[in-house]
Amino acid sequence: MESQRRTKVKVLLGLKSSNKEILIKGWVRTKRGSKNAVFIAVNDGSTIHNIQVVVSPELFSEELIKRITTGASIAVTGLWVASLGTGQTKELQAKTLTVLGDANPDTYPLQSKRHSLEFLREIAHLRPRTNTMGAIFRIRHAVAFAIHQFFHDKGFFYFNSPLLTTSDAEGAGETFKVTTLNLEKTPMNEVGKVNYREDFFEKETNLTVSGQLEGELAALALSEIYTFGPTFRAENSNTTRHLAEFWMVEPEMAFYDLKDNMDLAEEMLKYLVKYTLEHCKDDLTFLEKREIEEQKNKPIAERNEQPLLDRLRVILAGDFERISYTDAFYILRNSKPNKKKKFQFLIDSWGSDLQSEHERFLVEKHFKKPVIIHDYPKEIKSFYMRLNDDHKTVGAMDVLFPGIGEIIGGSQREERLDVLMERMEEKRIPASEMDWFLDTRRFGTVEHSGFGLGFERIILFLTGMSNIRDVIPFPRTPGNCEY
Ligand code: 4AD
Ligand code: MG
Protein backbone atom coordinates (compact mmCIF):
# COMPACT_ATOMS: atom_id res chain seq x y z
CA MET A 1 0.00 0.00 0.00
CA GLU A 2 2.90 2.34 0.77
CA SER A 3 3.89 2.77 -2.84
CA GLN A 4 0.39 3.32 -4.18
CA ARG A 5 -0.65 6.90 -5.03
CA ARG A 6 -3.70 8.35 -3.32
CA THR A 7 -6.61 9.25 -5.58
CA LYS A 8 -8.43 12.40 -4.50
CA VAL A 9 -12.16 12.05 -3.91
CA LYS A 10 -12.89 14.72 -6.51
CA VAL A 11 -10.96 12.78 -9.14
CA LEU A 12 -12.42 9.43 -8.11
CA LEU A 13 -15.99 10.72 -8.46
CA GLY A 14 -15.26 11.44 -12.11
CA LEU A 15 -13.81 7.97 -12.86
CA LYS A 16 -15.56 5.02 -14.47
CA SER A 17 -15.70 1.81 -12.47
CA SER A 18 -12.74 -0.48 -13.12
CA ASN A 19 -10.83 -3.49 -11.87
CA LYS A 20 -7.88 -1.35 -10.83
CA GLU A 21 -7.33 -1.00 -7.12
CA ILE A 22 -7.76 2.53 -5.81
CA LEU A 23 -6.34 4.13 -2.64
CA ILE A 24 -8.18 6.96 -0.91
CA LYS A 25 -7.42 8.82 2.30
CA GLY A 26 -9.71 11.14 4.19
CA TRP A 27 -11.87 11.81 7.24
CA VAL A 28 -14.94 9.89 8.26
CA ARG A 29 -18.12 11.93 8.10
CA THR A 30 -20.62 9.24 9.05
CA LYS A 31 -20.79 5.49 9.55
CA ARG A 32 -23.92 3.40 9.44
CA GLY A 33 -24.58 -0.23 8.79
CA SER A 34 -25.87 -3.60 9.58
CA LYS A 35 -24.51 -7.09 10.10
CA ASN A 36 -23.99 -7.48 6.36
CA ALA A 37 -22.42 -4.20 5.38
CA VAL A 38 -20.98 -1.04 6.91
CA PHE A 39 -21.22 2.21 4.93
CA ILE A 40 -18.70 4.97 5.57
CA ALA A 41 -18.97 8.46 4.09
CA VAL A 42 -15.45 9.79 3.55
CA ASN A 43 -14.42 13.34 2.67
CA ASP A 44 -10.92 14.57 1.88
CA GLY A 45 -11.70 18.25 1.31
CA SER A 46 -11.05 18.13 -2.44
CA THR A 47 -14.79 18.54 -3.07
CA ILE A 48 -18.01 19.08 -1.14
CA HIS A 49 -19.01 15.50 -2.03
CA ASN A 50 -18.22 12.42 0.04
CA ILE A 51 -17.60 9.00 -1.32
CA GLN A 52 -19.26 5.94 0.05
CA VAL A 53 -16.98 3.15 1.24
CA VAL A 54 -18.62 -0.23 1.68
CA VAL A 55 -17.07 -2.59 4.20
CA SER A 56 -17.97 -6.28 4.60
CA PRO A 57 -17.77 -6.93 8.34
CA GLU A 58 -16.46 -10.46 7.86
CA LEU A 59 -13.26 -9.13 6.21
CA PHE A 60 -12.19 -6.97 9.16
CA SER A 61 -11.99 -7.26 12.92
CA GLU A 62 -14.82 -5.88 15.00
CA GLU A 63 -12.30 -3.78 16.91
CA LEU A 64 -11.08 -2.08 13.72
CA ILE A 65 -14.60 -1.27 12.55
CA LYS A 66 -15.37 0.20 15.95
CA ARG A 67 -12.51 2.67 15.53
CA ILE A 68 -14.12 4.07 12.38
CA THR A 69 -15.90 7.03 13.99
CA THR A 70 -16.87 10.50 12.84
CA GLY A 71 -13.70 12.60 12.54
CA ALA A 72 -11.24 9.70 12.37
CA SER A 73 -8.82 9.66 9.44
CA ILE A 74 -8.63 6.51 7.38
CA ALA A 75 -6.98 4.99 4.31
CA VAL A 76 -8.93 2.58 2.17
CA THR A 77 -7.99 0.52 -0.85
CA GLY A 78 -10.54 -1.21 -2.98
CA LEU A 79 -12.45 -1.37 -6.22
CA TRP A 80 -14.57 1.46 -7.57
CA VAL A 81 -17.82 -0.26 -8.51
CA ALA A 82 -21.43 0.49 -9.37
CA SER A 83 -23.47 1.12 -6.23
CA LEU A 84 -26.57 -0.85 -5.41
CA GLY A 85 -27.89 1.79 -3.05
CA THR A 86 -29.49 5.11 -3.83
CA GLY A 87 -27.75 8.45 -3.31
CA GLN A 88 -24.58 7.57 -5.20
CA THR A 89 -23.87 5.86 -8.50
CA LYS A 90 -20.59 4.29 -7.43
CA GLU A 91 -18.90 3.21 -4.24
CA LEU A 92 -15.54 1.96 -3.08
CA GLN A 93 -15.58 -1.66 -2.01
CA ALA A 94 -12.99 -1.91 0.74
CA LYS A 95 -10.19 -4.51 0.47
CA THR A 96 -7.91 -2.96 3.07
CA LEU A 97 -8.79 -0.49 5.75
CA THR A 98 -6.41 1.45 8.00
CA VAL A 99 -7.20 3.92 10.74
CA LEU A 100 -4.59 6.69 10.44
CA GLY A 101 -5.81 8.76 13.38
CA ASP A 102 -8.55 7.95 15.88
CA ALA A 103 -11.17 10.48 16.95
CA ASN A 104 -12.65 9.70 20.32
CA PRO A 105 -16.43 9.90 19.84
CA ASP A 106 -16.91 11.03 23.44
CA THR A 107 -14.84 14.18 22.94
CA TYR A 108 -14.95 14.93 19.18
CA PRO A 109 -16.81 18.26 19.03
CA LEU A 110 -18.33 18.00 15.54
CA GLN A 111 -21.40 15.85 15.08
CA SER A 112 -23.22 15.18 11.84
CA LYS A 113 -26.00 17.55 12.91
CA ARG A 114 -25.86 21.22 11.95
CA HIS A 115 -23.75 23.43 14.22
CA SER A 116 -24.17 27.17 14.65
CA LEU A 117 -21.56 29.31 12.90
CA GLU A 118 -20.78 30.99 16.22
CA PHE A 119 -20.00 27.63 17.80
CA LEU A 120 -17.77 26.69 14.88
CA ARG A 121 -15.72 29.87 15.26
CA GLU A 122 -14.72 28.61 18.69
CA ILE A 123 -13.27 25.37 17.32
CA ALA A 124 -11.17 26.88 14.55
CA HIS A 125 -9.03 23.74 14.29
CA LEU A 126 -12.00 21.64 13.18
CA ARG A 127 -14.10 24.33 11.50
CA PRO A 128 -12.60 23.61 8.03
CA ARG A 129 -13.91 20.04 8.30
CA THR A 130 -17.51 21.20 7.99
CA ASN A 131 -19.28 21.29 4.62
CA THR A 132 -19.99 24.99 4.90
CA MET A 133 -16.44 26.09 5.71
CA GLY A 134 -14.96 23.67 3.18
CA ALA A 135 -17.15 25.21 0.47
CA ILE A 136 -16.20 28.74 1.52
CA PHE A 137 -12.46 28.07 1.64
CA ARG A 138 -12.51 26.40 -1.77
CA ILE A 139 -14.38 29.40 -3.19
CA ARG A 140 -11.88 31.77 -1.52
CA HIS A 141 -9.10 29.95 -3.33
CA ALA A 142 -10.90 30.06 -6.68
CA VAL A 143 -11.60 33.79 -6.41
CA ALA A 144 -8.01 34.61 -5.39
CA PHE A 145 -6.83 32.64 -8.39
CA ALA A 146 -9.34 34.43 -10.65
CA ILE A 147 -8.08 37.83 -9.44
CA HIS A 148 -4.55 36.99 -10.49
CA GLN A 149 -5.81 35.57 -13.80
CA PHE A 150 -7.89 38.67 -14.56
CA PHE A 151 -5.06 41.13 -14.00
CA HIS A 152 -2.37 38.93 -15.52
CA ASP A 153 -4.39 38.59 -18.74
CA LYS A 154 -4.65 42.38 -18.92
CA GLY A 155 -0.89 42.87 -18.52
CA PHE A 156 -1.02 44.16 -14.94
CA PHE A 157 1.90 43.32 -12.65
CA TYR A 158 1.40 41.87 -9.16
CA PHE A 159 3.24 44.30 -6.92
CA ASN A 160 3.97 43.67 -3.23
CA SER A 161 3.42 46.69 -1.02
CA PRO A 162 4.87 46.50 2.51
CA LEU A 163 2.92 45.37 5.57
CA LEU A 164 5.17 47.30 7.94
CA THR A 165 5.09 51.00 7.20
CA THR A 166 5.41 54.43 8.73
CA SER A 167 2.50 55.86 6.71
CA ASP A 168 -1.23 55.92 7.41
CA ALA A 169 -2.46 55.92 3.83
CA GLU A 170 -6.08 56.69 4.58
CA GLY A 171 -5.17 59.26 7.23
CA ALA A 172 -7.93 57.92 9.45
CA GLY A 173 -5.68 57.08 12.39
CA GLU A 174 -6.90 53.50 12.64
CA THR A 175 -3.48 51.85 12.66
CA PHE A 176 -2.05 49.09 14.81
CA LYS A 177 1.32 50.11 16.21
CA VAL A 178 4.36 47.88 15.75
CA THR A 179 7.11 48.17 18.33
CA THR A 180 9.82 46.28 20.16
CA LEU A 181 9.98 48.86 22.94
CA ASN A 182 9.49 47.59 26.46
CA LEU A 183 5.97 48.77 27.20
CA GLU A 184 6.56 48.60 30.93
CA LYS A 185 9.49 50.99 30.64
CA THR A 186 8.92 53.14 27.57
CA PRO A 187 11.78 55.52 26.78
CA MET A 188 10.61 59.13 26.76
CA ASN A 189 12.10 62.16 24.99
CA GLU A 190 12.65 65.72 26.29
CA VAL A 191 9.02 66.74 25.68
CA GLY A 192 7.55 63.74 27.44
CA LYS A 193 6.59 61.75 24.31
CA VAL A 194 7.63 58.19 23.50
CA ASN A 195 11.12 58.21 22.05
CA TYR A 196 10.70 56.13 18.93
CA ARG A 197 14.32 56.70 18.01
CA GLU A 198 15.08 53.89 20.42
CA ASP A 199 12.55 51.63 18.69
CA PHE A 200 13.41 48.91 16.15
CA PHE A 201 12.84 51.09 13.08
CA GLU A 202 13.90 54.28 14.91
CA LYS A 203 10.50 55.69 13.87
CA GLU A 204 6.86 55.26 14.84
CA THR A 205 5.71 52.27 12.79
CA ASN A 206 2.40 50.54 12.10
CA LEU A 207 0.75 47.77 10.12
CA THR A 208 -0.52 48.93 6.74
CA VAL A 209 -4.12 50.11 6.27
CA SER A 210 -3.71 50.13 2.48
CA GLY A 211 -0.98 49.47 -0.07
CA GLN A 212 -2.25 52.24 -2.32
CA LEU A 213 0.40 54.92 -1.83
CA GLU A 214 3.23 52.47 -2.48
CA GLY A 215 1.16 51.09 -5.37
CA GLU A 216 1.04 54.57 -6.89
CA LEU A 217 4.85 54.64 -7.00
CA ALA A 218 4.80 51.40 -8.96
CA ALA A 219 2.00 52.47 -11.33
CA LEU A 220 3.98 55.57 -12.24
CA ALA A 221 6.71 53.26 -13.50
CA LEU A 222 5.08 50.00 -14.62
CA SER A 223 1.79 51.63 -15.78
CA GLU A 224 -0.62 49.01 -14.46
CA ILE A 225 -0.12 47.10 -11.22
CA TYR A 226 -2.20 45.49 -8.49
CA THR A 227 -1.50 44.56 -4.91
CA PHE A 228 -3.28 41.74 -3.09
CA GLY A 229 -2.45 41.26 0.55
CA PRO A 230 -3.46 41.55 4.18
CA THR A 231 -4.59 44.90 5.52
CA PHE A 232 -5.04 45.93 9.14
CA ARG A 233 -7.46 48.41 10.64
CA ALA A 234 -8.01 49.13 14.29
CA GLU A 235 -11.46 50.59 13.72
CA ASN A 236 -13.66 49.61 16.60
CA SER A 237 -16.65 48.68 14.46
CA ASN A 238 -18.08 45.41 15.64
CA THR A 239 -20.22 44.80 12.53
CA THR A 240 -20.88 41.88 10.22
CA ARG A 241 -18.91 43.74 7.49
CA HIS A 242 -15.68 44.67 9.31
CA LEU A 243 -12.55 42.76 10.23
CA ALA A 244 -9.41 44.06 11.92
CA GLU A 245 -7.37 41.93 9.49
CA PHE A 246 -8.74 41.60 5.97
CA TRP A 247 -7.37 41.15 2.47
CA MET A 248 -7.51 43.89 -0.12
CA VAL A 249 -6.95 43.95 -3.87
CA GLU A 250 -5.67 47.33 -5.02
CA PRO A 251 -5.10 47.95 -8.73
CA GLU A 252 -3.42 51.23 -9.62
CA MET A 253 -3.22 52.47 -13.21
CA ALA A 254 -1.36 55.29 -14.93
CA PHE A 255 -3.24 57.11 -17.71
CA TYR A 256 -6.70 56.14 -16.32
CA ASP A 257 -9.35 58.70 -15.47
CA LEU A 258 -12.35 58.12 -13.20
CA LYS A 259 -14.47 56.59 -15.96
CA ASP A 260 -11.70 54.16 -16.96
CA ASN A 261 -11.46 53.27 -13.27
CA MET A 262 -15.19 52.53 -12.98
CA ASP A 263 -15.10 50.50 -16.18
CA LEU A 264 -12.27 48.35 -14.81
CA ALA A 265 -14.00 47.83 -11.44
CA GLU A 266 -17.22 46.72 -13.13
CA GLU A 267 -15.41 44.42 -15.55
CA MET A 268 -13.40 42.84 -12.71
CA LEU A 269 -16.43 42.22 -10.48
CA LYS A 270 -18.36 40.62 -13.36
CA TYR A 271 -15.34 38.46 -14.20
CA LEU A 272 -15.11 37.21 -10.61
CA VAL A 273 -18.83 36.41 -10.41
CA LYS A 274 -18.74 34.61 -13.77
CA TYR A 275 -15.60 32.69 -12.81
CA THR A 276 -17.16 31.52 -9.57
CA LEU A 277 -20.40 30.46 -11.28
CA GLU A 278 -18.35 28.47 -13.79
CA HIS A 279 -15.78 26.91 -11.45
CA CYS A 280 -17.52 26.49 -8.08
CA LYS A 281 -20.90 25.08 -9.10
CA ASP A 282 -21.03 22.28 -6.49
CA ASP A 283 -20.02 24.49 -3.59
CA LEU A 284 -22.42 27.27 -4.65
CA THR A 285 -25.29 24.81 -4.99
CA PHE A 286 -24.55 23.52 -1.50
CA LEU A 287 -24.44 27.06 -0.07
CA GLU A 288 -27.67 27.99 -1.85
CA LYS A 289 -29.48 25.02 -0.29
CA ARG A 290 -27.96 25.80 3.08
CA GLU A 291 -29.22 29.37 2.91
CA ILE A 292 -32.74 28.27 1.96
CA GLU A 293 -32.78 25.91 4.95
CA GLU A 294 -31.49 28.57 7.29
CA GLN A 295 -33.99 31.16 6.10
CA LYS A 296 -36.91 28.97 7.05
CA ASN A 297 -36.27 30.08 10.63
CA LYS A 298 -36.29 33.77 9.73
CA PRO A 299 -39.25 36.13 9.36
CA ILE A 300 -40.28 36.51 5.71
CA ALA A 301 -39.20 40.17 5.61
CA GLU A 302 -35.62 39.19 6.44
CA ARG A 303 -35.32 36.45 3.85
CA ASN A 304 -33.54 36.94 0.56
CA GLU A 305 -36.09 37.21 -2.22
CA GLN A 306 -33.85 35.40 -4.66
CA PRO A 307 -31.81 32.23 -4.21
CA LEU A 308 -28.01 32.65 -4.19
CA LEU A 309 -27.28 31.61 -7.78
CA ASP A 310 -29.93 33.98 -9.15
CA ARG A 311 -28.46 36.82 -7.11
CA LEU A 312 -25.09 36.14 -8.73
CA ARG A 313 -26.56 36.00 -12.23
CA VAL A 314 -28.19 39.43 -11.74
CA ILE A 315 -24.69 40.93 -11.55
CA LEU A 316 -23.92 39.69 -15.05
CA ALA A 317 -27.30 40.65 -16.51
CA GLY A 318 -26.72 44.35 -17.20
CA ASP A 319 -24.73 47.51 -16.57
CA PHE A 320 -24.19 48.77 -13.04
CA GLU A 321 -26.04 52.00 -12.26
CA ARG A 322 -23.68 54.99 -12.11
CA ILE A 323 -24.80 58.14 -10.32
CA SER A 324 -23.14 61.11 -8.68
CA TYR A 325 -23.21 61.63 -4.94
CA THR A 326 -25.43 64.66 -5.53
CA ASP A 327 -28.03 62.62 -7.44
CA ALA A 328 -27.89 59.89 -4.82
CA PHE A 329 -28.37 62.51 -2.14
CA TYR A 330 -31.63 63.78 -3.72
CA ILE A 331 -32.97 60.26 -4.26
CA LEU A 332 -32.29 59.46 -0.61
CA ARG A 333 -33.66 62.71 0.75
CA ASN A 334 -36.93 62.16 -1.12
CA SER A 335 -37.13 58.46 -0.30
CA LYS A 336 -39.94 56.92 1.76
CA PRO A 337 -37.72 55.67 4.63
CA ASN A 338 -36.20 59.13 4.94
CA LYS A 339 -39.56 60.93 4.96
CA LYS A 340 -41.04 58.40 7.37
CA LYS A 341 -37.92 58.68 9.55
CA LYS A 342 -37.15 54.99 9.12
CA PHE A 343 -33.44 55.56 8.49
CA GLN A 344 -31.33 55.60 11.62
CA PHE A 345 -29.33 58.46 10.08
CA LEU A 346 -31.69 60.85 8.30
CA ILE A 347 -30.52 62.45 5.06
CA ASP A 348 -30.88 66.15 5.45
CA SER A 349 -28.01 68.28 4.21
CA TRP A 350 -25.68 67.83 1.25
CA GLY A 351 -22.25 66.69 2.35
CA SER A 352 -23.06 64.09 4.96
CA ASP A 353 -21.53 60.65 4.59
CA LEU A 354 -23.71 57.80 3.34
CA GLN A 355 -24.29 54.99 5.82
CA SER A 356 -24.71 51.36 4.97
CA GLU A 357 -28.54 51.66 5.33
CA HIS A 358 -28.56 54.34 2.59
CA GLU A 359 -26.26 52.36 0.32
CA ARG A 360 -28.42 49.29 0.67
CA PHE A 361 -31.62 51.26 0.02
CA LEU A 362 -30.20 52.51 -3.29
CA VAL A 363 -29.01 49.06 -4.37
CA GLU A 364 -31.72 46.78 -3.04
CA LYS A 365 -34.85 48.94 -3.18
CA HIS A 366 -34.32 51.76 -5.64
CA PHE A 367 -32.17 50.47 -8.50
CA LYS A 368 -32.23 46.73 -7.72
CA LYS A 369 -28.72 46.28 -9.10
CA PRO A 370 -25.15 47.26 -8.23
CA VAL A 371 -24.60 51.01 -8.03
CA ILE A 372 -21.45 53.08 -8.48
CA ILE A 373 -21.60 56.43 -6.71
CA HIS A 374 -19.02 58.94 -7.92
CA ASP A 375 -17.89 62.50 -7.21
CA TYR A 376 -18.30 62.72 -3.45
CA PRO A 377 -17.95 65.85 -1.28
CA LYS A 378 -14.23 66.38 -0.62
CA GLU A 379 -14.73 66.67 3.15
CA ILE A 380 -15.76 63.02 3.55
CA LYS A 381 -13.02 61.51 1.35
CA SER A 382 -9.24 61.02 1.55
CA PHE A 383 -6.63 63.66 0.73
CA TYR A 384 -5.31 61.92 -2.38
CA MET A 385 -8.54 62.05 -4.42
CA ARG A 386 -8.58 64.44 -7.38
CA LEU A 387 -10.30 67.77 -6.77
CA ASN A 388 -13.03 68.51 -9.33
CA ASP A 389 -13.46 71.89 -11.01
CA ASP A 390 -16.36 72.74 -8.68
CA HIS A 391 -13.82 72.67 -5.81
CA LYS A 392 -16.47 70.92 -3.69
CA THR A 393 -16.27 67.35 -4.88
CA VAL A 394 -13.50 64.85 -5.62
CA GLY A 395 -13.23 62.14 -8.27
CA ALA A 396 -14.10 59.32 -5.91
CA MET A 397 -16.12 56.22 -6.67
CA ASP A 398 -17.66 53.57 -4.41
CA VAL A 399 -19.17 50.37 -5.79
CA LEU A 400 -22.18 49.20 -3.79
CA PHE A 401 -23.46 45.62 -3.89
CA PRO A 402 -26.75 44.05 -2.80
CA GLY A 403 -26.68 42.68 0.74
CA ILE A 404 -23.22 44.16 1.32
CA GLY A 405 -23.14 47.91 0.69
CA GLU A 406 -19.65 49.18 -0.17
CA ILE A 407 -17.52 46.51 -1.78
CA ILE A 408 -15.02 48.78 -3.59
CA GLY A 409 -13.68 52.24 -2.76
CA GLY A 410 -11.50 54.10 -5.25
CA SER A 411 -10.74 57.34 -7.04
CA GLN A 412 -8.86 59.25 -9.64
CA ARG A 413 -5.74 60.52 -7.87
CA GLU A 414 -4.67 64.14 -7.46
CA GLU A 415 -1.69 64.33 -9.78
CA ARG A 416 -1.13 68.13 -9.47
CA LEU A 417 1.54 68.78 -6.85
CA ASP A 418 0.24 72.18 -5.72
CA VAL A 419 -3.39 71.02 -5.35
CA LEU A 420 -2.30 67.88 -3.55
CA MET A 421 -0.18 69.83 -1.08
CA GLU A 422 -3.08 72.17 -0.39
CA ARG A 423 -5.36 69.22 0.28
CA MET A 424 -2.79 67.71 2.65
CA GLU A 425 -2.63 70.94 4.54
CA GLU A 426 -6.44 71.02 4.83
CA LYS A 427 -6.38 67.50 6.23
CA ARG A 428 -3.36 68.23 8.46
CA ILE A 429 -1.12 65.62 6.87
CA PRO A 430 2.52 66.69 7.28
CA ALA A 431 4.13 66.94 3.84
CA SER A 432 7.59 66.45 5.34
CA GLU A 433 6.75 62.79 6.06
CA MET A 434 5.43 62.25 2.54
CA ASP A 435 8.28 63.32 0.31
CA TRP A 436 8.67 59.81 -1.03
CA PHE A 437 5.06 59.98 -2.26
CA LEU A 438 5.12 63.58 -3.47
CA ASP A 439 8.17 62.87 -5.64
CA THR A 440 5.87 61.05 -8.09
CA ARG A 441 4.12 64.39 -8.63
CA ARG A 442 7.40 66.28 -8.89
CA PHE A 443 8.94 64.11 -11.58
CA GLY A 444 6.85 62.99 -14.56
CA THR A 445 3.44 63.08 -12.92
CA VAL A 446 0.51 61.67 -14.94
CA GLU A 447 -3.22 61.22 -14.64
CA HIS A 448 -3.83 57.99 -12.73
CA SER A 449 -6.50 56.09 -10.81
CA GLY A 450 -7.09 53.03 -8.70
CA PHE A 451 -9.39 51.29 -6.28
CA GLY A 452 -9.51 48.79 -3.42
CA LEU A 453 -11.69 45.69 -3.39
CA GLY A 454 -12.39 44.16 0.02
CA PHE A 455 -11.65 40.49 -0.65
CA GLU A 456 -13.84 39.19 2.20
CA ARG A 457 -16.69 41.43 1.09
CA ILE A 458 -16.77 39.86 -2.38
CA ILE A 459 -16.52 36.39 -0.80
CA LEU A 460 -19.42 37.33 1.46
CA PHE A 461 -21.48 38.23 -1.59
CA LEU A 462 -20.49 35.14 -3.58
CA THR A 463 -21.21 32.68 -0.76
CA GLY A 464 -24.37 34.35 0.55
CA MET A 465 -23.00 34.21 4.09
CA SER A 466 -24.23 36.93 6.40
CA ASN A 467 -21.23 37.52 8.67
CA ILE A 468 -17.76 38.44 7.36
CA ARG A 469 -16.22 36.39 10.20
CA ASP A 470 -17.42 33.25 8.46
CA VAL A 471 -15.57 33.83 5.18
CA ILE A 472 -12.02 34.10 6.57
CA PRO A 473 -10.17 31.20 8.22
CA PHE A 474 -9.12 33.08 11.36
CA PRO A 475 -11.26 36.18 11.94
CA ARG A 476 -9.73 39.04 13.92
CA THR A 477 -12.20 41.45 15.48
CA PRO A 478 -12.21 43.64 18.60
CA GLY A 479 -11.51 41.38 21.59
CA ASN A 480 -10.84 38.36 19.43
CA CYS A 481 -7.43 37.15 18.18
CA GLU A 482 -7.40 33.44 19.00
CA TYR A 483 -5.06 30.92 17.36
O1 4AD B 1 -12.65 52.34 0.95
P1 4AD B 1 -11.32 51.91 1.50
O2 4AD B 1 -10.95 52.37 2.86
O3 4AD B 1 -10.26 52.39 0.41
C1 4AD B 1 -8.90 52.30 0.51
O4 4AD B 1 -8.30 51.78 1.40
C2 4AD B 1 -8.20 52.83 -0.72
N1 4AD B 1 -6.78 53.06 -0.37
C3 4AD B 1 -8.35 51.87 -1.85
C4 4AD B 1 -7.70 52.33 -3.10
O5 4AD B 1 -8.18 53.24 -3.72
N2 4AD B 1 -6.59 51.69 -3.50
O6 4AD B 1 -11.23 50.32 1.48
C5 4AD B 1 -11.42 49.61 0.28
C6 4AD B 1 -12.33 48.42 0.50
C7 4AD B 1 -13.72 48.79 1.00
O7 4AD B 1 -14.57 49.15 -0.06
C8 4AD B 1 -14.16 47.49 1.65
O8 4AD B 1 -14.64 46.58 0.68
C9 4AD B 1 -12.87 46.94 2.21
O9 4AD B 1 -11.81 47.57 1.51
N3 4AD B 1 -12.73 47.23 3.65
C10 4AD B 1 -12.89 46.32 4.63
N4 4AD B 1 -13.20 45.00 4.58
C11 4AD B 1 -13.27 44.34 5.76
N5 4AD B 1 -13.04 44.90 6.97
C12 4AD B 1 -12.73 46.23 7.06
N6 4AD B 1 -12.48 46.76 8.24
C13 4AD B 1 -12.64 46.98 5.85
N7 4AD B 1 -12.34 48.27 5.57
C14 4AD B 1 -12.40 48.40 4.24
MG1 MG C 1 -14.33 53.35 1.51
Side-chain angles (χ1 to χ4, degrees), residues 431-448:
S432 56
E433 301 278 310
M434 299 286 285
D435 257 339
W436 60 274
F437 178 67
L438 294 170
D439 272 353
T440 53
R441 274 63 171 178
R442 291 192 180 107
F443 309 109
T445 190
V446 294
E447 178 177 78
H448 65 290

Side-chain angles (χ1 to χ4, degrees), residues 169-454:
E170 297 303 301
E174 289 166 340
T175 58
F176 286 101
K177 287 209 171 17
V178 174
T179 182
T180 54
L181 289 178
N182 178 354
L183 295 182
E184 257 111 65
K185 241 170 79 191
T186 342
M188 297 303 213
N189 61 19
E190 314 78 55
V191 289
K193 293 246 167 87
V194 175
N195 186 5
Y196 285 105
R197 262 187 282 154
E198 288 191 26
D199 205 348
F200 188 91
F201 295 110
E202 299 175 14
K203 249 184 153 188
E204 193 174 347
T205 306
N206 51 267
L207 295 176
T208 187
V209 295
S210 159
Q212 177 195 323
L213 302 191
E214 293 87 352
E216 284 189 48
L217 271 53
L220 269 63
L222 301 167
S223 291
E224 293 171 326
I225 64 96
Y226 67 104
T227 71
F228 183 6
T231 310
F232 308 89
R233 292 194 187 175
E235 51 192 333
N236 215 342
S237 30
N238 230 324
T239 76
T240 55
R241 305 275 174 274
H242 289 89
L243 291 163
E245 177 181 288
F246 63 99
W247 287 63
M248 187 154 48
V249 183
E250 294 186 278
E252 192 68 35
M253 301 77 64
F255 319 114
Y256 274 51
D257 66 11
L258 188 63
K259 180 177 178 296
D260 300 328
N261 204 23
M262 292 193 275
D263 290 346
L264 182 72
E266 182 167 342
E267 187 187 342
M268 179 195 70
L269 287 168
K270 284 179 172 160
Y271 181 93
L272 298 181
V273 171
K274 188 157 179 271
Y275 188 96
T276 311
L277 279 167
E278 280 169 9
H279 292 84
C280 307
K281 206 58 192 268
D282 291 356
D283 287 323
L284 287 177
T285 307
F286 168 81
L287 290 169
E288 178 175 88
K289 279 199 198 125
R290 180 196 166 277
E291 185 186 77
I292 291 168
E293 278 304 309
E294 200 188 64
Q295 296 210 343
K296 286 183 184 157
N297 305 321
K298 283 189 178 172
I300 289 177
E302 282 174 33
R303 293 184 197 169
N304 278 304
E305 284 166 25
Q306 283 176 316
L308 178 62
L309 286 156
D310 287 349
R311 298 208 298 279
L312 302 194
R313 289 188 194 107
V314 166
I315 305 299
L316 307 178
D319 293 341
F320 295 1
E321 190 69 34
R322 297 184 188 190
I323 56 164
S324 68
Y325 168 90
T326 303
D327 289 343
F329 165 75
Y330 285 117
I331 292 172
L332 288 167
R333 201 171 68 174
N334 294 329
S335 70
K336 247 194 211 162
N338 199 52
K339 287 183 171 161
K340 292 192 166 171
K341 302 203 187 321
K342 287 269 161 66
F343 283 144
Q344 197 190 339
F345 298 90
L346 293 179
I347 295 286
D348 178 30
S349 53
W350 188 93
S352 55
D353 207 354
L354 303 184
Q355 306 296 326
S356 150
E357 57 179 343
H358 309 128
E359 296 173 342
R360 293 187 58 177
F361 172 82
L362 289 170
V363 174
E364 290 159 32
K365 298 280 181 307
H366 192 82
F367 290 112
K368 295 194 192 304
K369 58 173 162 166
V371 177
I372 309 182
I373 302 186
H374 52 83
D375 296 304
Y376 280 76
K378 65 174 182 177
E379 282 76 18
I380 57 172
K381 289 291 181 188
S382 300
F383 74 95
Y384 51 71
M385 299 191 178
R386 193 176 197 279
L387 189 65
N388 286 326
D389 292 342
D390 62 11
H391 287 253
K392 281 191 195 145
T393 58
V394 287
M397 62 121 183
D398 279 4
V399 184
L400 317 179
F401 253 40
I404 308 287
E406 180 188 336
I407 199 163
I408 280 181
S411 72
Q412 184 170 337
R413 316 306 190 191
E414 185 54 78
E415 84 285 11
R416 298 162 296 187
L417 181 65
D418 51 337
V419 186
L420 182 59
M421 292 192 58
E422 243 171 71
R423 293 271 293 138
M424 287 172 69
E425 221 175 285
E426 270 172 38
K427 302 243 175 203
R428 302 196 185 290
I429 297 167
S432 56
E433 301 278 310
M434 299 286 285
D435 257 339
W436 60 274
F437 178 67
L438 294 170
D439 272 353
T440 53
R441 274 63 171 178
R442 291 192 180 107
F443 309 109
T445 190
V446 294
E447 178 177 78
H448 65 290
S449 300
F451 61 80
L453 165 72

